[in-house]
Amino acid sequence: MTTLADPVPGGRPGDVERATALGGELAGRGVHGVVLSYVDTAGITRIKTIPVAKLPAAAAWGVGMSPVFDTFLANDAIVATDVLGSPDGDLRLYPDLDQLVALAAQPGWAWAPVDRITQDGERHPGCSRTFLRRITAAAEERHGVAFKAAVEIEWSVGADTTPTDRFEPVATGPAYGAARQVELSDFLAELLAACAAQGVDVDQVHPEYAAGQFEISVGALDPVAAADRSVLVRQTVRAVARRHALRVSFAPAVRGEGVGNGGHVHLSAWRDGANLYSGGAGRHGMTADAEAFTAGVLARLPALTAVTAPSPASYLRLRPSQWAGVFTAWGLETREAALRVVTGTRGLRDQAANLEIKPVDLAANPYLTLGCLIAAGLDGMASSTPLPEEITGDPARFDAAEAAKRGVRRLPVGLPEAVAAFREDALLRDALGPVLADAVTAVREGESAAVAGLDDEQIAAAYRWKY
Ligand code: GLU
Ligand code: MG
């Protein structure tokens, strides 16, 4: 379980001793440096690195970094809000020692995610990991609810010799095809070995639908650890790929059309050790709380899209009949509704049942995504929001009257529409706090401005290798 307490200047009790022991152990295993990562508002993982000998000092006093990165765009241009985006100020990055791990595919390196606090020891209001810790702690304290989450990771594989202005799949075998697995056999085996060495519990890795696309899924963890894991797994996929002269893209779309790369989120809610998505009297075994949680997420999906699909390229992926879930609807094991209720197999349901949220991609900051999904769901639970009727099949086939009758709407077709919905959503803005909420708005508006006049192919190209 992630420690939900904030870092403090000087270190929390025991942190420095622990960092000293862990640093010594890593050094003994040939580790020289530690990558300290966080994810910015635009969804880019940004880092500092330190020599392993400085780990105790980092645990005590953090590592400096400017808050300006909270309003960086994916192209590294800077936008400004009232409080962020200025060249002034400094923050301290505190590694989470619980997540510290030697990177199997980057010999000599270890990795840890960070929380960021101010030089005065206050929470940095722009820190997305702190936001998710705060939401998770409040859910436990106020509602007695804990969560488990996992982020599915899809990516497209090209060759690192191909010019970056185009995407050519390296593996040409068919979707889900044995041939494609054989083509990248060594890469995939090394990826599994690296995950195992890092203690990452892989459920599956497989060739996906789109050209040159693969997916890895991992076991569920508490929300903060699940978001950390999504960062670590992508770092690992990228690093293993480099060793095989491959270049990987986690961008929502590598081309202007066709199936994209998703980052579906699986979320289950638990009270007193029991899964609220299983064993209840509601539909498909959901408890009343799970139905209301699902309804809370469903009701806010258009605004949530500004967080879960944050790039102009996200809207190349978010198109009907591409399994990205672009309609405000839910269903049992259905792949075109935004929300898929997963019961799991008989015998495993109390552990496996969960809610899958599909309109999420890997341009999304996983900390913001999980925090906002939880905030939306908890609001549904607190207000006993009724869950509408489920749908089956592809909602794209509903005519306007049928869709209206069922309350099924298309999710935003572009980032400006998503931002407009987000601006209207007081609950999400309150949950994020004014600093993060303004950063989300400003960064999305900056991304939209950055692609003004570009066609779909050019938008895909602009973001293809960013995430
Ligand atoms: N690639 C699809 C997406 O963009 C998901 C495919 C699947 O259902 O795994 O969300
Ligand atoms: Mg998939």
Side-chain angles (χ1 to χ4, degrees):
M1 290 296 282
T2 304
T3 307
L4 296 177
D6 292 326
V8 292
R12 290 169 306 207
D15 277 357
V16 177
E17 294 74 7
R18 195 161 164 227
T20 306
L22 289 169
E25 201 181 294
L26 288 171
R29 290 166 58 195
V31 168
H32 303 293
V34 185
V35 178
L36 304 178
S37 79
Y38 67 93
V39 184
D40 72 13
T41 319
I44 306 287
T45 300
R46 309 231 179 231
I47 63 152
K48 279 264 179 115
T49 73
I50 55 169
V52 70
K54 289 286 165 66
L55 195 59
W61 305 111
V63 172
M65 197 165 193
S66 165
V68 75
F69 297 99
D70 292 315
T71 52
F72 260 46
L73 303 183
N75 67 5
D76 300 337
I78 301 166
V79 294
T81 69
D82 289 346
V83 289
L84 295 172
S86 132
D88 304 333
D90 204 34
L91 295 169
R92 308 307 295 175
L93 314 183
Y94 277 76
D96 185 335
L97 298 174
D98 290 338
Q99 299 295 339
L100 178 68
V101 65
L103 291 173
Q106 292 181 258
W109 290 99
W111 166 88
V114 301
D115 289 301
R116 296 178 293 156
I117 64 173
T118 69
Q119 288 178 313
D120 292 325
E122 305 290 328
R123 285 175 171 172
H124 170 47
C127 177
S128 58
R129 193 173 189 271
T130 302
F131 159 68
L132 181 55
R133 277 191 301 109
R134 189 166 55 70
I135 292 279
T136 307
E140 286 179 20
E141 278 158 28
R142 288 193 215 136
H143 303 268
V145 180
F147 294 91
K148 284 191 194 172
V151 181
E152 291 180 8
I153 294 178
E154 294 183 334
W155 72 93
S156 306
V157 187
D160 69 6
T161 45
T162 307
T164 51
D165 64 356
R166 52 181 193 264
F167 173 73
E168 285 168 15
V170 165
T172 51
Y176 309 101
R180 201 187 290 178
Q181 186 270 339
V182 173
E183 287 177 272
L184 291 191
S185 182
D186 290 348
F187 163 67
L188 295 169
E190 202 178 304
L191 176 59
L192 286 175
C195 286
Q198 292 170 180
V200 172
D201 167 33
V202 174
D203 282 337
Q204 290 184 31
V205 58
H206 65 268
E208 253 292 346
Y209 190 83
Q213 190 184 39
F214 289 83
E215 172 175 331
I216 189 165
S217 48
V218 297
L221 298 168
D222 74 74
V224 180
D228 293 338
R229 185 129 299 182
S230 128
V231 174
L232 173 63
V233 170
R234 281 178 277 165
Q235 177 94 6
T236 307
V237 170
R238 199 178 283 122
V240 176
R242 295 290 310 177
R243 299 170 76 81
H244 292 266
L246 301 170
R247 185 186 291 131
V248 295
S249 171
F250 300 100
V254 286
R255 288 177 170 157
E257 59 179 12
V259 170
N261 291 316
H264 303 183
V265 167
H266 291 263
L267 200 54
S268 55
W270 300 68
R271 184 178 281 124
D272 302 327
N275 185 350
L276 299 177
Y277 275 89
S278 150
R283 283 158 279 181
H284 310 300
M286 282 188 276
T287 61
D289 275 339
E291 284 208 356
F293 186 91
T294 306
V297 174
L298 185 61
R300 292 184 190 280
L301 277 174
L304 282 165
T305 310
V307 175
T308 65
S311 166
S314 300
Y315 298 84
L316 304 175
R317 164 183 174 256
L318 281 186
R319 287 173 173 162
S321 311
Q322 296 193 162
W323 295 349
V326 301
F327 293 98
T328 60
W330 75 279
L332 174 69
E333 299 289 8
T334 182
R335 286 172 177 73
E336 290 296 349
L339 302 182
R340 169 188 175 202
V341 167
V342 180
T343 59
T345 309
R346 185 151 54 90
L348 271 182
R349 291 187 171 152
D350 56 337
Q351 291 307 307
N354 69 82
L355 178 67
E356 180 180 25
I357 300 104
K358 288 180 173 286
V360 186
D361 60 49
L362 300 168
N365 174 317
Y367 305 96
L368 296 181
T369 292
L370 287 170
C372 287
L373 289 172
I374 289 171
L378 284 177
D379 182 64
M381 224 186 247
S383 50
S384 301
T385 305
L387 184 63
E389 238 177 81
E390 70 194 278
I391 61 114
T392 54
D394 190 345
R397 73 182 194 286
F398 296 151
D399 61 24
E402 178 80 3
K405 195 179 90 197
R406 293 170 177 269
V408 172
R409 281 172 299 151
R410 173 82 196 267
L411 286 176
V413 296
L415 197 46
E417 191 186 333
V419 171
F422 176 79
R423 277 186 181 284
E424 298 295 309
D425 197 307
L427 180 105
L428 291 182
R429 294 184 65 88
D430 276 1
L432 286 161
V435 173
L436 264 177
D438 285 356
V440 165
T441 309
V443 168
R444 307 297 177 258
E445 285 173 348
E447 296 293 357
S448 296
V451 298
L454 300 189
D455 66 23
D456 289 353
E457 237 12 271
Q458 290 167 321
I459 292 173
Y463 293 93
R464 186 180 291 137
W465 307 111
K466 297 293 185 188
Y467 305 104

